[in-house]
Amino acid sequence: MILKIRLLEPLHVGAKQVSGLDEIGADRALYLPTPSTALGALAAALGEVHSDDPFKALGCSSVWGPLVDIGGELYFLSENSLYAVGDVGKYLSAVRDLRGEEVLPRYKIRELAKPGVRLEEKSVRNLYDVRFTWLVDSGGRPVAPGEAVVLYFIDCKKAAEIKSTTRVGGEGRVAEVEVSKGTAPIKKCKEGVLLSPLLFYSEGPYATVGVAKGLEDVEEIYGMLSKGGPPKVKSMYVGLGFSMALRSRRAVYQALPPGTALRLRKEVSAVGLHSERGYGSLLCP
């Protein structure tokens, strides 16, 4: 089945908890809905709102993605740019070998900053700078509402065909959520590019490739494509979202961001912690 999230307005998918003790808190947003956010939106559309774990509540066994469909063409994310899925081989070669054809993004994701106010018992607790995201083409022109669709490929027993407008992410933003039948373009490979954050965990100050939890199957991290410079190896912190049922945030993990090229010890379609839930999904050339 294909889970489609049609973007109707700028979304806010928080990468971290906005600080609550400062008078003005900082915010950081992810560029596309995470697997947890996507499943949470689907669960809400299907009325499964009382479970802390939409993956289990929906009877899911696997999730893979995301890809972005714009005008019938598929794209993958790297930093704030979208590259054509057909260019994944060129992208991998450019990062791994520092040579080959130049790979140019087709779209970019622009951040929109707006002021936010947190209220507590009818009084202002603090202010914060909230970040929303939207797509623009190579000329800087915004993509029309409804034109871009985020795709996840899911195997969930309770994922009936549906089309509904529901809340996606934070700050009360909505999108059209649809489930339809379709074939997943999933392949296994030993070299590929991450579509979603690869979650890992290390108790010490350093995470050793091949040793740290979540990185056991990783042989080498090539990094991300960097314009005008060598590939960048970056890590970030990614949370598993906010539980509306418990009114609390889920666990936060270290992660390799989408767009990171990897070499693995064996052929897989996803890698890392919670890979069955869609994290660490791998796009193969």
Side-chain angles (χ1 to χ4, degrees), residues 241-257:
F242 185 87
S243 170
M244 296 298 292
L246 297 180
R247 303 298 301 174
S248 64
R249 291 189 174 275
R250 301 189 182 98
V252 176
Y253 290 87
Q254 293 169 282
L256 296 176

Side-chain angles (χ1 to χ4, degrees), residues 97-213:
D97 305 327
L98 301 178
R99 60 179 176 78
E101 297 181 54
E102 184 179 13
V103 187
L104 298 176
R106 307 291 182 88
Y107 295 89
K108 287 188 175 292
I109 299 178
R110 179 179 293 169
E111 286 193 8
L112 311 171
K114 295 185 178 182
V117 179
R118 180 180 285 113
L119 301 177
E120 187 175 88
E121 297 182 355
K122 298 183 180 181
S123 63
V124 176
R125 180 180 175 183
N126 74 316
L127 306 177
Y128 60 96
D129 177 39
V130 61
R131 304 278 172 164
F132 298 91
T133 57
W134 193 250
L135 290 163
V136 298
D137 64 19
S138 57
R141 294 177 293 272
V143 172
E147 187 177 352
V149 184
V150 179
L151 306 178
Y152 276 97
F153 300 86
I154 62 175
D155 186 356
C156 302
K157 295 179 180 178
K158 295 185 179 180
E161 293 187 53
I162 188 175
K163 180 184 287 189
S164 174
T165 301
T166 189
R167 178 176 173 175
V168 177
E171 302 296 324
R173 294 304 171 113
V174 299
E176 182 184 89
V177 174
E178 179 183 358
V179 174
S180 61
K181 295 180 180 179
T183 303
I186 302 174
K187 296 191 296 184
K188 293 184 178 182
C189 55
K190 293 185 69 175
E191 285 187 322
V193 178
L194 291 175
L195 294 178
S196 56
L198 186 163
L199 306 182
F200 65 91
Y201 173 74
S202 175
E203 295 182 355
Y206 303 101
T208 304
V209 173
V211 176
K213 295 179 180 178

Side-chain angles (χ1 to χ4, degrees), residues 210-225:
V211 176
K213 295 179 180 178
L215 298 178
E216 297 95 337
D217 291 331
V218 178
E219 188 169 297
E220 185 176 352
I221 302 172
Y222 296 136
M224 307 171 68
L225 190 63

